[in-house]
């Protein structure tokens, strides 16, 4: 990886790079190699940089690998260029963007981890006067690296310019775009259940079609996965439309434009406006929210096919007009924004019960009207909470867990299901609360304690008296659930109640999930983390899982965006044999989800009997930090061989070569087209595994595991040696030898068959080979079992990781000169060899800070010359467990702003407690 960094440094020093030059950036130690050809896909222009392909006009921050990391102050972009013959190609241009940083308006700006520019620090929680809508204190850890969410909305009404009668149906669609997946929640009125939903591109062609499953609900949930970049651009630029059609004899069709809207972020109430007229083609939607502290109701109307002249907007209760606003809306300005001030107690009560309506009426000879009742915002997301001791008002490490799910009805009733486990003492109180307005006083809104059953550890019931403000706070993720015990009367567990975005998986979110806690690990782990998981098995015997965690240990260096927070595993709890574990996924942030298709009949049986578990392991607790027992009744008698996929990848099936050429996500490599998600062994080197990730070819060197057998053989056409078949592997039992499966095991990671008894490191695209885990093919059953590598304890004070791909660190030792020296190295072998780094030469044992073009000297990285080998290491930073983290200018390690300010508070008022988290 150091060789890669040197190569990229040379690229940055030139500040530009042609695609043909990028293909020459290669090194034996490079885990992600660039294509030998100028472009990885025929007919597509772009740039290759650091082994990755970028489309024209793409921008990115270069990643120099360990220990340098991502250069956040350097921005590269792929600029389109034209040759003399008119052919378009890409050229990489990199520049330092630090000089473009705006000047902060505060006196003491801070540099946040992962940022280039300083920003003003957020206000601390000591003001006690924060508004209800100020959600700066809420966690954003559920976002993975490089992820961002964009919300869209669409109003769907009947088509008026068709010769067919227009529909009276009206639908409202809300979309959430995460990377290249678009989740949608659609509600509709005055029409039958749709049969299909079609996304239409700017040229009128079908971009994606979704077949609506049958059902009685007025809510449709779905996901459009793996959206191609050209279609993403159309979506972002509001050039895409959506149509919805019924399959009934009276064919209804509604359509609308997908747009972004400023009101989506704050929306907590909504309504669909329909007309009583047949074939009207009219309709609208309203997005509403309460103001921060006053009882003002803000709303925005989006109307279609109605307003041509002036009109009026009325707030109605049982046909009685409570408020009226004159509306000056024209067809050129379809959005109407207004505020209803100072709602009284009766109006707020009717609002919370879904009994208030909005009516829009036009004036003139032929007046038209659309109206609808106001209810809490509807979506396919799940309102849930994970309660952990790390999130308690006085944080601790108890190993306990709390889990809750909620459902909000149109009449303002909130159904709840709560479960707790692993507590240190009896439960005294179970309450729904808002953020404390004072440090020493909790703000309780509703007491669930009467419904709590101490035997089962569960509470189920309904909160039927939610106020409008409570609904608003619930849908803005501003409420918390607190568990008080005899030993922790202020709260042993606490969790934020927030929406879990719809993922499209077949997971039973309406049921209580499986709780995950350190209490369930063997032996128990006293941790502040906890979690819960939904697990199901479908008709094809595929396992669907969704995991949410809270309080997990963070990375050593919080500037590393792509740090793996944990590994999720599924295994068998069987006292009669050794525990077998399967790697589900590695995840960032606080969520993980996916589908496991390669399931053995034994594991399916354990799931059916309730003797299986899900476990999350971390760097601090590699043998498991939280765990939960899983019981999924199923009728799958035989295991199903397939593959493991996450929600970002569609199932990879053989496709026609001509179709592959037309697919914009296809990769072109070694004169062949490869589908997105496919994996193969390249012709140029059998010791590499390549995968196609959305037009980008990523090739990783095969990492061979260390074998324990006395004799090994090198199979023809294989990269790694295996134990000699004539000798028995040490870990194979007699029963396995007698019933060995001659076909071996199929592993989805590399999509290959492995011989019985062989071991290998798992391949997980796009991360490559995971050297911290090792997989074994069990010859008796043909199953693959993967376990994490346990690193040995080290006695030295400064261990080093010799190679970036190594899992475990080692104690440094003097490297010896190789006995087989070539003639050109004889002169250097007589004495210590020098090192070359960049354009400079260094003598043996010299130390220096590397200089990076466009960035300058990197004082937080120390390099030294070790007998001709350049070694670099980033300064080791302590693990931080605080919430607010910052990095001072010139400092190598981040630090807690909480501790700094708390120290100042303690110095000023030594008789008061230190600040507490909530």
């Amino acid at each position: 990886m150091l060789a890669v960094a040197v190569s990229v440094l040379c690229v940055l020093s030139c500040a530009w790079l042609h695609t043909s030059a990028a293909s020459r950036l290669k090194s034996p130690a490079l885990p992600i190699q660039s294509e030998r050809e100028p472009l990885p896909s025929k007919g597509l222009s772009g740039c290759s940089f650091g082994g990755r392909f970028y489309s024209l006009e793409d921008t990115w921050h270069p990643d120099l690998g360990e220990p340098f990391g991502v250069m956040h102050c350097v921005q590269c972009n792929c600029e389109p260029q034209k040759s003399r013959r008119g052919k378009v190609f890409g050229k990489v241009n990199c520049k330092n963007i630090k000089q473009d940083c705006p000047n902060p308006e505060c006196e003491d700006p801070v540099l946040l981890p992962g940022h280039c520019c300083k920003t003003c620090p957020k206000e601390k929680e000591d003001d006690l006067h924060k508004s209800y809508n100020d959600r700066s204190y809420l966690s954003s850890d559920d976002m993975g690296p490089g992820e961002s969410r964009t919300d869209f909305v669409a109003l769907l009404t009947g088509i008026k310019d068709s010769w067919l009668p227009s529909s009276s149906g009206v639908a409202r669609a809300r979309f959430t775009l995460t990377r290249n997946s678009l989740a949608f929640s659609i509600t509709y009125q005055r029409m039958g259940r749709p049969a299909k939903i079609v996304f239409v591109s700017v040229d009128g062609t079908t971009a994606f079609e979704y077949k609506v499953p049958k059902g009685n609900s007025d809510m449709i949930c779905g996901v459009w996965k793996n959206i191609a970049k050209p279609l993403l651009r159309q979506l972002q630029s509001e050039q895409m439309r959506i149509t919805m059609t019924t399959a009934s004899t009276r064919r209804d069709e509604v359509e609308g434009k997908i747009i972004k809207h400023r009101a989506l972020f704050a929306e907590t109430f909504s309504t669909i406006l329909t007309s009583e007229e047949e074939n009207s083609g009219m309709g609208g939607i309203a997005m509403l929210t309460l103001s921060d502290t006053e009882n003002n109701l803000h709303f925005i109307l989006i109307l279609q096919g109605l307003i041509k002249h002036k009109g009026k907007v009325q707030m109605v209760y049982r046909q009685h007009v409570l408020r009226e606003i004159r509306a000056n809306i024209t067809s050129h300005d379809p959005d109407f924004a207004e505020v209803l001030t100072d709602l009284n107690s009766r109006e707020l009560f009717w609002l919370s019960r879904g009994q208030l309506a909005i009516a829009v009426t036009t004036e003139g000879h032929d007046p038209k009207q659309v109206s609808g009742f106001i209810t809490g915002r509807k979506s396919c997301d799940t309102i849930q909470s994970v309660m952990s001791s790390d999130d308690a008002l006085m944080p601790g490490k108890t190993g306990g867990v709390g889990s809750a799910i909620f459902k909000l009805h149109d009449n303002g009733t909130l159904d709840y299901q709560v479960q707790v486990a692993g507590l240190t003492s009896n439960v005294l109180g179970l309450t729904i609360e808002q953020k404390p307005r004072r440090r020493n006083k909790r703000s309780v809104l509703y007491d669930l304690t009467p419904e709590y059953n101490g035997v089962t550890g569960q509470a189920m019931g309904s909160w039927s008296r939610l106020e409008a403000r409570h609904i608003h706070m619930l849908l803005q993720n501003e409420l918390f659930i607190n568990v008080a015990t005899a030993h922790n009367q202020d709260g042993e567990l606490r969790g934020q109640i927030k929406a879990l975005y719809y993922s499209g998986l077949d997971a039973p979110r309406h049921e209580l999930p499986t709780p995950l806690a350190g209490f369930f690990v063997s032996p128990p782990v006293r941790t502040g983390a906890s979690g819960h998981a939904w697990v199901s098995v479908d008709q094809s015997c595929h396992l669907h899982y969704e995991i949410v965690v809270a309080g997990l240990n963070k990375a050593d260096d919080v500037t590393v965006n792509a740090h793996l927070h944990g590994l999720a595993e599924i295994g068998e709890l069987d006292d009669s044999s050794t525990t077998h574990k399967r790697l589900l996924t590695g995840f960032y942030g606080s969520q993980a989800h996916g589908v496991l298709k390669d399931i053995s009949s034994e594991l399916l049986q354990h799931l059916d009997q309730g003797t299986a578990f899900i476990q999350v392991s971390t760097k601090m607790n590699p043998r498991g930090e939280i765990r939960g027992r899983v019981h999924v009744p199923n009728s799958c008698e035989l295991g199903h061989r397939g593959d493991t996929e996450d929600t970002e990848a569609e199932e990879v099936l053989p496709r026609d070569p001509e179709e592959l050429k037309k697919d914009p996500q296809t990769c072109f490599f070694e004169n062949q087209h490869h589908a997105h998600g496919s994996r193969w062994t390249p012709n140029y080197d059998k010791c590499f595994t390549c995968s196609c990730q959305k037009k980008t070819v990523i090739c990783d060197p095969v990492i061979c595991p260390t074998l324990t057998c006395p004799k090994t053989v090198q199979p023809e056409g294989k990269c790694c040696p295996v134990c000699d078949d004539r000798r028995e592997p040490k870990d194979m039992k007699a029963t396995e030898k007698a019933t060995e499966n001659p076909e071996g095991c199929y592993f989805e990671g590399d999509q290959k068959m492995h011989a019985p008894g062989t071991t290998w490191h798992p391949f997980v695209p796009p991360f490559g080979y995971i050297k911290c885990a090792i997989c074994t093919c069990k010859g008796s059953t043909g199953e693959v079992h993967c376990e994490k590598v346990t690193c040995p304890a080290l006695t030295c004070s400064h261990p080093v990781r010799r190679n970036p791909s190594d899992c475990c660190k080692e104690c440094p030792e003097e490297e010896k000169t190789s006995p087989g020296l070539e003639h050109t190295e004889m002169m250097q072998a007589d004495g210590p060899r020098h090192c070359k780094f960049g354009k400079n030469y260094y003598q043996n044992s010299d130390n220096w800070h590397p200089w990076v073009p466009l960035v300058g000297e990197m004082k937080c990285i120390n390099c030294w010359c070790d007998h001709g080998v350049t070694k670099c290491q980033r300064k080791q930073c302590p693990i931080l467990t605080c919430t607010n983290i910052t990095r001072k200018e010139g400092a190598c390690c981040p630090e807690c702003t909480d501790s700094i300010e708390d120290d100042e508070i303690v110095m000023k008022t030594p008789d008061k407690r230190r600040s507490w988290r909530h």
Side-chain angles (χ1 to χ4, degrees):
M1 186 62 77
L2 193 58
V4 182
V6 173
S7 301
V8 178
L9 294 181
C10 296
V11 174
L12 293 176
S13 63
C14 299
W16 61 271
L17 178 67
H18 287 283
T19 55
S20 59
S23 63
R24 294 192 292 271
L25 288 173
K26 56 183 181 289
S27 167
L30 180 59
I32 302 179
Q33 281 200 335
S34 57
E35 168 60 283
R36 306 291 177 93
E37 300 297 325
L39 292 173
S41 184
K42 242 181 188 179
L44 290 177
S45 300
C47 305
S48 293
F49 185 92
R52 291 185 177 273
F53 178 78
Y54 296 92
S55 300
L56 294 176
E57 299 181 355
D58 278 358
T59 60
W60 67 94
H61 299 291
D63 187 353
L64 304 189
E66 293 185 3
F68 300 94
V70 179
M71 301 289 102
H72 295 286
C73 286
V74 176
Q75 181 172 291
C76 299
N77 64 299
C78 182
E79 295 182 349
Q81 304 286 328
K82 275 191 178 182
S83 64
R84 294 181 179 179
R85 297 182 179 180
K87 185 177 180 180
V88 178
F89 63 94
K91 184 181 78 171
V92 175
N93 184 17
C94 298
K95 67 176 183 177
N96 191 319
I97 60 175
K98 192 168 185 178
Q99 62 269 18
D100 299 329
C101 292
N103 293 324
E105 297 181 356
C106 53
E107 295 182 359
D108 299 311
V110 295
L111 181 63
L112 297 177
H115 291 68
C116 175
C117 301
K118 285 187 174 183
T119 56
C120 293
K122 293 181 179 179
E123 295 181 7
K124 288 294 292 179
E125 295 295 335
D126 59 342
D127 51 33
L128 308 182
H129 301 294
K130 289 229 172 188
S131 63
Y132 281 100
N133 282 344
D134 191 337
R135 290 169 296 282
S136 60
Y137 61 91
L138 299 183
S139 170
S140 60
D141 289 345
D142 57 337
M143 297 300 292
E147 283 191 2
S148 61
R149 292 195 179 103
T150 307
D151 291 328
F152 301 84
V153 70
L155 165 63
L156 288 74
T157 57
I159 303 172
K160 279 195 168 184
D161 56 358
S162 171
W163 61 272
L164 292 171
S166 182
S167 171
S168 298
V170 182
R172 172 241 168 83
R174 179 165 181 148
F175 311 87
T176 300
L177 177 66
T178 306
R179 288 189 288 185
N180 63 346
S181 289
L182 187 71
F184 50 88
S185 305
I186 303 177
T187 54
Y188 56 92
Q189 293 183 14
R190 289 187 58 78
M191 63 182 297
R193 186 167 178 84
K196 67 176 181 179
I197 298 169
V198 177
F199 291 79
V200 183
S201 62
V202 67
D203 58 0
T205 59
T206 298
F208 175 71
E209 181 174 319
Y210 177 77
K211 293 183 178 179
V212 180
K214 295 181 179 179
N216 299 321
S217 171
D218 61 351
M219 175 74 72
I220 300 174
C221 307
V223 177
W224 178 9
K225 304 176 185 177
N226 300 319
I227 307 176
K229 273 193 174 180
L231 296 177
L232 277 176
R233 296 191 187 101
Q234 291 185 28
L235 185 65
Q236 294 281 14
S237 58
E238 302 181 357
Q239 295 179 322
M240 194 166 288
R241 303 186 72 84
I242 181 174
T243 65
M244 199 163 65
T245 311
T246 63
S248 58
T249 53
R250 184 185 179 279
R251 184 173 177 271
D252 275 342
E253 182 175 1
V254 293
E255 63 95 25
K257 186 178 182 181
I258 303 175
I259 62 172
K260 301 175 185 176
H261 207 289
R262 63 188 183 276
L264 289 172
F265 173 76
E267 178 192 20
T268 50
F269 296 91
S270 64
T271 183
I272 295 179
L273 308 175
T274 61
S275 171
E276 296 296 329
E277 296 183 18
E278 293 294 330
N279 307 322
S280 65
M282 299 184 301
I285 59 176
M287 295 176 281
L288 309 95
T289 188
L290 287 174
S291 57
D292 294 344
T293 55
E294 299 176 348
N295 294 326
N296 299 334
L297 185 64
H298 300 257
F299 67 92
I300 285 183
L301 297 175
I302 302 179
L303 305 168
Q304 185 66 40
L306 173 68
I307 299 297
K308 295 182 180 179
H309 307 286
K310 292 184 178 181
K312 55 186 177 184
V313 179
Q314 298 172 330
M315 186 171 71
V316 181
Y317 172 70
R318 294 184 178 179
Q319 300 181 347
H320 295 285
V321 177
L322 304 178
R323 309 246 182 154
E324 182 174 300
I325 300 174
R326 290 288 172 176
N328 187 16
I329 307 175
T330 66
S331 58
H332 302 290
D333 182 22
D335 291 4
F336 175 76
E338 191 52 85
V339 56
L340 301 173
T341 60
D342 297 326
L343 268 65
N344 58 42
S345 58
R346 290 184 305 164
E347 292 170 334
L348 288 171
F349 175 81
W350 294 330
L351 174 64
S352 68
R353 297 299 181 264
Q355 297 174 350
L356 278 187
I358 285 184
V360 180
T361 308
T362 62
E363 297 178 346
H365 299 292
D366 185 21
K368 306 289 184 181
Q369 185 184 69
V370 291
S371 62
F373 285 98
I374 305 172
T375 63
R377 186 190 69 221
K378 298 179 181 180
S379 75
C380 299
D381 303 336
T382 301
I383 305 175
Q384 52 84 52
S385 177
V386 175
M387 291 160 272
S388 69
S389 55
D390 186 70
D391 290 328
L393 294 178
M394 300 297 290
K397 295 183 181 296
T398 67
V401 61
S403 173
I405 57 174
F406 304 87
K407 180 176 177 58
L408 180 65
H409 297 277
D410 290 349
N411 63 0
T413 299
L414 181 69
D415 295 339
Y416 57 83
Q417 300 181 61
V418 186
Q419 60 183 340
V420 295
L423 299 176
T424 60
S425 55
N426 294 333
V427 172
L428 297 183
L430 183 61
T431 52
I432 295 177
E433 307 177 357
Q434 66 183 74
K435 181 171 65 75
R437 309 297 285 184
R438 298 179 182 176
R439 294 184 185 276
N440 59 349
K441 187 176 181 180
R442 289 160 35 210
S443 181
V444 176
L445 298 180
Y446 186 72
D447 190 0
L448 289 67
T449 311
E451 306 299 329
Y452 176 74
N453 186 326
V455 178
T456 63
Q458 296 183 356
M460 297 184 183
S462 298
W463 179 7
S464 59
R465 295 184 179 180
L466 265 77
E467 298 177 5
R469 177 68 62 185
H470 298 157
I471 297 175
H472 173 82
M473 297 175 68
L474 174 72
L475 297 178
Q476 289 284 23
N477 300 340
E478 294 177 353
L479 297 184
F480 300 83
I481 184 166
N482 195 79
V483 181
T485 61
H487 291 171
N488 298 275
Q489 297 189 12
D490 278 335
E492 182 172 327
L493 302 175
R494 190 177 179 89
Q496 179 188 352
I497 302 175
K498 57 184 178 180
L500 178 64
Y501 284 89
Y502 178 72
S503 65
L505 292 178
D506 185 18
R509 286 188 175 185
H510 61 282
E511 300 176 358
L512 270 174
T514 297
L516 308 176
F519 174 78
F520 298 131
V521 180
S522 180
V525 177
R526 293 185 66 85
T527 173
S530 61
H532 59 208
W534 286 275
V535 183
S536 66
V537 175
D538 62 20
Q539 295 180 351
S540 301
C541 297
H542 299 161
L543 184 99
H544 298 245
Y545 63 90
E546 288 191 90
I547 303 171
V548 183
V549 297
L552 275 187
N553 294 304
K554 301 298 188 296
D556 289 350
D557 185 355
V558 294
T559 63
V560 181
N561 292 331
H563 176 70
L564 211 62
H565 279 189
L567 292 173
E569 302 163 311
I570 189 166
E572 308 153 3
L573 292 173
D574 192 347
D575 297 335
S576 62
S577 64
T578 57
T579 299
H580 298 147
K581 291 184 291 186
R582 285 285 310 278
L583 179 68
L584 284 178
T585 184
F587 62 93
Y588 312 90
S590 64
Q591 299 176 21
H593 45 237
V595 180
L596 185 68
K597 295 185 178 180
D598 180 16
I599 311 178
S600 67
S601 57
E602 185 179 7
L603 178 55
L604 287 167
Q605 185 178 1
H606 280 285
L607 286 167
D608 185 58
Q609 296 173 351
T611 54
F613 69 86
I614 277 186
Q615 176 173 285
V616 176
S617 304
T618 61
K619 184 176 180 180
M620 299 297 292
N621 292 281
R623 296 187 178 182
E625 182 159 342
I626 54 176
R627 174 189 284 192
R629 179 173 294 207
V630 184
H631 182 206
V632 185
N634 65 86
S635 57
C636 300
E637 297 181 357
L638 299 177
H640 182 86
R641 174 165 292 175
D643 58 345
T644 306
E645 69 174 10
D646 60 14
T647 57
E648 305 300 330
E650 297 270 341
E651 184 177 0
V652 180
L653 298 174
R655 295 172 59 184
D656 182 74
E658 294 301 322
E659 291 184 5
L660 285 176
K661 293 180 182 179
K662 299 177 182 178
D663 189 346
Q665 298 193 33
T666 296
C667 300
F668 185 74
F669 189 89
E670 293 182 332
N671 296 320
Q672 289 186 358
H673 291 276
H674 299 270
H676 161 69
S678 61
R679 285 142 231 167
W680 68 94
T681 299
N683 297 327
Y684 73 87
D685 194 335
K686 65 183 179 182
C687 287
F688 275 77
T689 295
C690 297
S691 64
C692 175
Q693 301 291 325
K694 305 183 183 84
K695 299 193 297 184
T696 302
V697 176
I698 301 177
C699 294
D700 296 89
V702 175
I703 301 175
C704 298
T706 303
L707 302 178
T708 58
C709 48
K711 186 177 180 180
T712 62
V713 294
Q714 181 68 47
E716 184 178 355
K718 302 292 183 181
C719 177
C720 297
V722 297
C723 292
D724 192 347
D725 292 337
R726 292 167 295 184
R727 290 187 174 268
E728 300 173 357
K730 293 180 179 180
D731 58 348
M732 183 174 287
K733 299 179 181 179
T735 56
E736 291 181 348
K737 292 180 286 184
T739 60
E740 191 171 88
N741 188 340
E743 294 183 0
C745 307
Y746 177 81
F747 184 65
E748 189 279 335
D750 49 21
Q751 297 181 349
K752 296 177 182 178
M753 293 295 297
H754 294 264
T758 56
T759 59
W760 68 94
H761 293 293
F763 180 78
V764 182
F767 307 106
Y769 285 90
I770 307 299
K771 205 169 181 181
C772 288
I774 191 164
C775 298
T776 304
C777 174
K778 297 296 181 180
S780 59
T781 60
E783 300 173 10
V784 177
H785 293 278
C786 299
E787 296 183 356
K788 291 187 300 301
V789 174
T790 301
C791 296
L794 302 178
T795 57
C796 54
S797 58
H798 299 289
V800 296
R801 184 173 281 108
R802 294 195 176 277
N803 298 302
S805 61
D806 289 348
C807 177
C808 301
K809 291 184 178 181
E810 302 176 9
C811 290
E813 59 182 1
E814 294 293 327
E815 295 189 4
K816 299 179 180 180
T817 306
S818 174
L821 296 174
E822 296 182 3
H823 178 71
T824 56
E825 297 177 335
M826 276 297 183
M827 294 297 292
Q828 297 179 0
D830 294 336
R833 298 177 60 185
H834 65 263
C835 302
K836 182 181 179 182
F837 186 87
K839 297 181 180 180
N840 300 320
Y841 289 89
Y842 299 91
Q843 299 299 322
N844 185 50
S845 300
D846 280 357
N847 288 271
W848 70 93
H849 297 300
W851 185 86
V852 178
L854 301 179
V855 177
E857 186 179 29
M858 305 190 70
K859 295 182 179 180
C860 297
I861 295 177
N862 187 46
C863 297
W864 66 95
C865 179
D866 187 359
H867 294 83
V869 179
T870 298
K871 298 180 179 180
C872 296
Q873 186 175 13
R874 181 179 289 274
K875 180 180 177 181
Q876 297 295 318
C877 296
I879 299 175
L880 301 180
T881 59
C882 53
T883 304
N884 297 321
I885 299 174
T886 186
R887 186 195 299 271
K888 292 184 178 180
E889 186 174 10
C892 296
C893 295
E895 58 186 24
C896 296
T897 57
D898 291 350
S899 61
I900 297 174
E901 297 184 14
D902 288 345
D903 290 341
E904 294 177 356
I905 295 173
V906 170
M907 290 176 64
K908 294 177 182 178
T909 57
D911 58 327
K912 292 186 178 181
R913 295 182 179 179
R914 298 178 66 87
S915 64
W916 53 352
R917 291 179 55 191
H918 48 272

